Amino acid sequence: METGRERVEADAAARGISVEFVERTHAAELGLDRADFVKSMLVKRHNGTFLFALVPLDRQIAWPKLRAVVGVNKLLLPDASVALAVTGYERGTITPLGSAMTWPVFADERIAGRRIGMGSGEHGVGAVVDADQLIAGLQATVADISA
């Protein structure tokens, strides 16, 4: 069975995304600001389907903005067991790369043009990627979805 990191690495390679793995204790050495770290959150639609929202660590999902971009009236964060079942990743490690199921990705516009750190599928390890490569490789929708 592949580890989360191996799944992320294989999926990133298939999508043309360069990824560097780093222990989270060494993340400060990368020269990234707090805003350069991204939370990957699994979000559930009212119809039972999901999406990923990528938001800078120093911001939060702006639910009205995300609902407007997605075109729905209701979105919610599923509980941890659902997130694990749908992605194959525990909370704190979630990433759209290598997810057990493929879901649309919505990226906050503030991550574009940056080098970002994000979940790697494993606790204690981060994945560093070029956000523009990530956005292109995942065919993400880029919009103002945070506050």
Side-chain angles (χ1 to χ4, degrees):
M1 187 158 122
E2 286 182 309
T3 65
R5 179 178 173 164
E6 290 168 339
R7 289 173 35 212
V8 167
E9 192 168 39
D11 191 28
R15 296 173 185 272
I17 302 166
S18 300
V19 62
E20 174 187 355
F21 295 96
V22 61
E23 290 182 36
R24 293 215 174 158
T25 56
H26 297 131
E29 298 169 15
L30 296 173
L32 299 177
D33 294 327
R34 183 169 167 80
D36 296 322
F37 290 92
V38 172
K39 299 178 276 194
S40 300
M41 292 174 281
L42 183 71
V43 177
K44 185 176 181 179
R45 295 176 176 158
H46 73 283
N47 66 1
T49 63
F50 297 87
L51 61 93
F52 289 102
L54 307 181
V55 177
L57 188 62
D58 64 343
R59 300 181 65 85
Q60 296 181 2
I61 291 176
W63 292 103
K65 292 178 182 180
L66 182 58
R67 286 192 303 267
V69 171
V70 175
V72 298
N73 292 327
K74 186 175 181 182
L75 294 169
L76 57 94
L77 293 175
D79 67 34
S81 64
V82 172
L84 177 60
V86 171
T87 66
Y89 300 129
E90 294 179 354
R91 281 203 178 146
T93 71
I94 292 176
T95 173
L97 293 170
S99 176
M101 297 178 159
T102 302
W103 301 105
V105 178
F106 292 81
D108 188 73
E109 65 188 11
R110 288 156 192 83
I111 73 169
R114 303 179 92 129
R115 184 171 172 242
I116 60 169
M118 61 188 300
S120 69
E122 292 184 17
H123 289 287
V125 178
V128 179
V129 299
D130 176 275
D132 294 340
Q133 278 186 0
L134 182 73
I135 289 165
L138 293 171
Q139 299 179 342
T141 298
V142 178
D144 178 10
I145 61 168
S146 72

